[in-house]
Amino acid sequence: MRKVIDCRDYPSEAKCTLTIAGEEEEVVRAATEHSVSVHSEADTPEFRAMLRTMLKDEVPQHA
């Protein structure tokens, strides 16, 4: 199942609205890169583990 993480669920000073969806490893990698570049987080194993706890299952969108 695809995973999703949405910055709107975690308000910050950046007022970010980015949503990232995909396979778990892709989302963690992209969310880490985004968090480092936009939210000034540090890329550590602990931070990546925390991101994994924030992932949600993607709700399929039907036309």
Side-chain angles (χ1 to χ4, degrees), residues 5 10 28 32 35 41-42 44-55:
I5 193 165
Y10 312 97
V28 170
T32 300
S35 297
E41 297 290 347
T44 65
E46 295 80 14
F47 182 72
R48 287 178 181 246
M50 183 195 63
L51 284 176
R52 285 183 197 286
T53 69
M54 300 162 74
L55 298 177

Side-chain angles (χ1 to χ4, degrees), residues 1-5 20-31 52 55-56 58:
M1 170 159 297
R2 287 169 44 104
K3 299 293 183 178
V4 63
I5 193 165
I20 302 170
E23 296 298 322
E24 183 171 334
E25 290 305 316
E26 295 171 317
V27 174
V28 170
R29 182 176 58 248
R52 285 183 197 286
L55 298 177
K56 297 178 182 174
E58 183 179 48

Side-chain angles (χ1 to χ4, degrees), residues 6-8 14-19:
D6 189 333
C7 280
R8 294 172 297 178
K15 296 183 180 19
C16 187
T17 62
L18 183 68
T19 299

